[in-house]
Structures are given as structure tokens and as C-alpha cells.
Amino acid sequence: MNFQNRVQTPKTNYCVITIYDTPVLGTPIEHYTRFSTEIKQHYQASVQVDFYGENALKYAQMMVSVTKTDYSAQYLKDFGIQPLYCDSARDMTNVNGEKQYERRYMVEFQIEFDSSFAVAQDGFERAELNLI
């Protein structure tokens, strides 16, 4: 996460994206090569998008609509992400540190993706036996 302390939030409309849950789906798939093992795991993720500012509701509703289209599925496919569903926008207006109302709308977006990595392992290409 890239949360920073003592950094002022933008004065105009902005959003904050937080991935807060990534349950594992199924068991890992292993692929062995001579000197490594590649492990691939399938995940589902909950992504919370908080929209702030005067146009927070407008942008939240736009996200809800776009995520339900084929455009979204095709765009995210290039990044190895499969969109599942998106909840309706929720009004989360709150009072900030300056005791002012801050417009905030939250959208929760569910996605699936694969993650993979390789683990090095010792191996050899050739063996020579000397029999006595």
C-alpha cells in the first residue's frame, strides 16, 4: 500500500483504491523444469474504491456502470484480471479533521486473477558413474 502520513489530500475530486481481501481459490498449480518450479495460484480480491469531492457520486455511479460492461472485461483481460461484480455506490459522507462534511461514496468491486512465481531448485544435466 502507498498510504502516506502528513500528505495533504487533493483539493478536487479524487479516489482511493484499497485491496483489502485476497482469498485463495483452489490449490496451487506446479510446473517443474530442470532448475526451478513455477507455482501459479488463483485469487479473488475485494477492491474498495472511495470517491471524494463534489462529483463523488457521479464517478462512483460511472464505475458501477462501466464494470458491468464487456468493455471492462476486455480492458482488464489484458492485465490478467477477470471482473466479477460491483456493488452499488454507498454514501459514506463523513466529518473530516476540520469538522467539515466530506462527500465520499464507496464502491466495492470483486475481481479474480492469477499470481505466479518461480522457486529455484538444484539440479543437474549430466551424471557420470565410476564403477569399481
Side-chain angles (χ1 to χ4, degrees), residues 14-108:
Y14 66 96
C15 73
V16 175
I17 301 171
T18 308
I19 298 173
Y20 66 90
D21 191 21
T22 55
V24 173
L25 301 176
T27 56
I29 298 170
E30 300 170 77
H31 177 72
Y32 299 97
T33 63
R34 189 176 304 162
F35 296 107
S36 69
T37 300
E38 184 180 316
I39 299 172
K40 183 177 182 181
Q41 182 66 60
H42 195 66
Y43 293 93
Q44 181 174 337
S46 298
V47 181
Q48 178 177 316
V49 184
D50 293 294
F51 295 90
Y52 294 86
E54 288 303 314
N55 293 321
L57 176 59
K58 175 184 171 185
Y59 291 125
Q61 289 172 332
M62 286 171 58
M63 180 176 176
V64 170
S65 295
V66 168
T67 56
K68 296 178 181 183
T69 65
D70 185 54
Y71 172 82
S72 157
Q74 294 305 316
Y75 179 79
L76 293 172
K77 182 179 180 180
D78 292 341
F79 299 98
I81 299 171
Q82 174 64 46
L84 299 177
Y85 61 91
C86 187
D87 291 342
S88 297
R90 289 182 264 176
D91 184 358
M92 306 294 282
T93 299
N94 58 20
V95 178
N96 63 21
E98 289 79 35
K99 297 186 176 166
Q100 299 293 313
Y101 284 102
E102 187 171 41
R103 289 190 59 138
R104 172 183 162 209
Y105 282 85
M106 182 184 79
V107 172
E108 188 175 320

